[in-house]
Amino acid sequence: MASSGFRPLDDKSLIEYIKATPALSSKLANQLDGLQIKEVGDGNLNFVYIVISSAGSFVIKQALPYIRCIGESWPMTKERAYFEATALREQRRWCSDHVPEVYHFDREMALIGMRYLEPPHIILRKGLIAGIEYPLLAEHMSEFMARTLFFTSLLYHDTTEHKRAVAEFCGNVELCRLTEQVVFSDPYKVSQYNRWTSPYLDRDAEAVREDNILKLEVAELKSMFCERSQALVHGDLHTGSVMVTPDSTQVIDPEFGFYGPMGFDIGAFLGNLILAYFAQDGHADQVNDRKTYKEWILKTIEQTWNLFHKKFTALWDEHRNGSGEAYLPEIYNNSELQLLTQKKYMQGLLHDTLGFGAAKMIRRIVGVAHVEDFESIVDASKRANCERQALVFAKMLLKERRKFQAITEVVLAVQQEQS
């Protein structure tokens, strides 16, 4: 379809758009009578429509030229839709089992048409709040992260190919700057967008703004985020960007995608699981004290990292003599050196993961956009107690991340914070 300029779509105009777009209408076998359209965008940025007919279905996602949850007072480029569509296609190239297919992209309309993840798929965060166990979550997420991060890194690419890809995603600067602001800056200063469970966490928020060591550490993470083009990262890989059933895991919404530090993705996912852990006491009741479920979350954190480590290093071993130019085989030419190289690389990646995970946790408690895990706890005093435990742990993790040598030590530290 040839667009005639950007315009936000509503239910009625979306039908006309679908009729005029063969890539979409064909997915419905051109049967548009009785079309069901439902707007379900509960995120911060975009409109999201589910489109269902008797012959098929898909999702339409349209980016607005501002942040939806704030309004037109906070402009935001709709070009983010281009980077989301590009990232989805690239990530699906390397991990088709866990990334939905893109059917259609219209750059001028900032619109993506993609596979509808039909029920019983739900947002992972909602499943965690409900106390649902997902036995394949660690297996699937470790697979997604290992493959998408390895195959877009210099461990697989030569430097020419890598720099071309880095340059392509450098255009997603506005969303990167948004992350820089809300993750690495706003929580550590007075900002009009910051909020927390007041008055219970007033002193806690102030303590974050007064913690010199915390500021030094977060500056290092911000520098890494801005300067290290390690791999194509999703850029917003929290539990709201994953849809699940007991046997399916699909990663969505990579509009923040860019070439950055791998640990930013792994940390975002694990950090949000830790937030879910600390929120469980706020959801416990007389029927379910959530203790067993908390154990499952911790086991999932441990398994996710350990499986990621295993799969990532296996890909590295498999492609050691390929086109990747990070460690040339003519130089790293004996098994002892290769093992030392991997060990140092993965240890550094663990520490990056813990640092970024901690920063993402902090911003969800005293920054602009909070998480439903805590927000759905109605009792403000109880919510604040859960948030405080998470905040204390996150501050420690950010400052002391280098002392942890294994994920088991991190899990133990989480348990000790609640003991």
Side-chain angles (χ1 to χ4, degrees):
M1 175 181 179
S3 298
S4 55
F6 176 84
R7 64 194 186 282
L9 295 177
D10 55 23
D11 292 19
K12 184 177 180 181
S13 57
L14 179 56
I15 293 174
E16 297 306 312
Y17 184 91
I18 293 168
K19 287 180 179 178
T21 308
L24 295 176
S25 58
S26 63
K27 290 294 178 182
L28 308 176
N30 296 304
Q31 297 179 24
L32 304 183
D33 292 337
L35 209 58
Q36 299 177 40
I37 296 178
K38 182 180 181 181
E39 208 282 310
V40 296
D42 60 355
N44 296 320
L45 298 180
N46 310 290
F47 281 122
V48 180
Y49 296 93
I50 297 173
V51 180
I52 300 175
S53 79
S54 58
S57 62
F58 49 76
V59 164
I60 295 292
K61 183 173 181 179
Q62 186 176 36
L64 301 171
Y66 53 84
I67 295 180
R68 181 179 178 181
C69 69
I70 301 293
E72 295 185 23
S73 63
W74 193 333
M76 179 58 56
T77 176
K78 57 186 177 61
E79 267 294 277
R80 63 186 186 269
Y82 167 76
F83 294 104
E84 176 169 5
T86 304
L88 279 168
R89 285 167 168 158
E90 182 68 6
Q91 290 175 334
R92 183 173 168 80
R93 175 187 176 192
W94 300 115
C95 194
S96 59
D97 288 345
H98 303 301
V99 181
E101 182 180 358
V102 173
Y103 301 146
H104 170 72
F105 174 63
D106 183 335
R107 190 166 188 173
E108 191 169 14
M109 286 287 285
L111 182 148
I112 304 170
M114 69 185 87
R115 176 192 166 191
Y116 169 45
L117 299 170
E118 65 287 337
H121 280 96
I122 63 169
I123 294 293
L124 173 58
R125 191 182 304 284
K126 294 184 181 297
L128 294 170
I129 293 168
I132 302 171
E133 293 187 15
Y134 296 97
L136 296 177
L137 182 62
E139 175 70 36
H140 290 169
M141 287 304 297
S142 62
E143 182 80 3
F144 169 81
M145 293 188 294
R147 294 188 64 82
T148 59
L149 296 176
F150 177 84
F151 284 114
T152 59
S153 76
L154 279 172
L155 295 172
Y156 183 76
H157 285 161
D158 63 45
T159 55
T160 301
E161 186 176 10
H162 190 74
K163 287 184 182 297
R164 178 203 57 75
V166 169
E168 171 77 1
F169 276 88
C170 277
N172 204 13
V173 61
E174 279 200 42
L175 266 70
C176 287
R177 285 183 60 79
L178 177 59
T179 300
E180 292 160 27
Q181 176 181 340
V182 301
V183 176
F184 302 112
S185 298
D186 280 359
Y188 306 92
K189 65 185 182 73
V190 175
S191 169
Q192 64 175 316
Y193 298 112
N194 287 346
R195 64 183 181 86
W196 52 86
T197 304
S198 184
Y200 304 97
L201 297 184
D202 288 358
R203 182 66 192 100
D204 302 84
E206 185 181 6
V208 169
R209 300 194 298 270
E210 294 176 348
D211 192 325
N212 289 342
I213 303 301
L214 198 64
K215 290 178 180 179
L216 287 173
E217 294 296 336
V218 85
E220 186 174 321
L221 292 171
K222 181 178 180 180
S223 177
M224 192 187 308
F225 177 86
C226 296
E227 299 165 358
R228 191 171 192 192
S229 304
Q230 197 173 22
L232 175 59
V233 297
H234 177 286
D236 200 27
L237 194 55
H238 53 73
T239 52
S241 295
V242 182
M243 296 194 71
V244 288
T245 71
D247 55 10
S248 171
T249 305
Q250 300 291 318
V251 178
I252 60 172
D253 296 348
E255 62 196 320
F256 284 79
F258 77 112
Y259 272 74
M262 297 179 186
F264 191 74
D265 267 6
I266 311 167
F269 183 68
L270 296 185
N272 273 261
L273 287 180
I274 297 172
L275 289 177
Y277 173 89
F278 282 111
Q280 291 306 310
D281 285 356
H283 299 294
D285 54 34
Q286 292 180 336
V287 177
N288 185 351
D289 62 12
R290 297 290 181 113
K291 288 182 179 179
T292 301
Y293 192 64
K294 287 164 70 175
E295 291 174 3
W296 175 81
I297 293 176
L298 293 180
K299 184 176 73 172
T300 300
I301 292 167
E302 187 173 336
Q303 288 179 340
T304 299
W305 170 262
N306 287 337
L307 286 168
F308 167 82
H309 187 291
K310 179 181 178 180
K311 294 173 183 182
F312 189 91
T313 53
L315 289 170
W316 189 341
D317 291 339
E318 180 184 351
H319 297 279
R320 188 180 299 281
N321 296 314
S323 57
E325 293 188 338
Y327 299 97
L328 296 173
E330 297 88 351
I331 300 173
Y332 303 87
N333 55 5
N334 64 80
S335 58
E336 181 183 6
L337 180 56
Q338 291 166 357
L339 193 62
L340 286 170
T341 301
Q342 272 192 359
K343 183 177 180 180
K344 182 178 181 181
Y345 189 102
M346 298 307 291
Q347 196 69 52
L349 183 51
L350 175 62
H351 293 158
D352 294 349
T353 293
L354 300 181
F356 285 121
K360 297 281 273 185
M361 291 174 67
I362 291 169
R363 80 86 152 202
R364 293 295 190 178
I365 299 168
V366 297
V368 58
H370 289 208
V371 291
E372 189 179 351
D373 309 66
F374 291 132
E375 297 289 278
S376 57
I377 301 171
V378 177
D379 184 319
S381 175
K382 184 183 290 187
R383 179 170 70 247
N385 286 335
C386 294
E387 290 174 319
R388 181 177 292 111
Q389 288 182 327
L391 183 59
V392 169
F393 176 79
K395 288 165 62 178
M396 179 281 295
L397 189 63
L398 203 159
K399 291 188 281 190
E400 301 179 22
R401 64 190 182 277
R402 297 174 192 85
K403 81 174 187 181
F404 294 96
Q405 302 303 306
I407 196 67
T408 50
E409 299 171 14
V410 180
V411 168
L412 182 61
V414 173
Q415 290 173 308
Q416 290 173 340
E417 181 58 42
Q418 280 209 326
S419 62

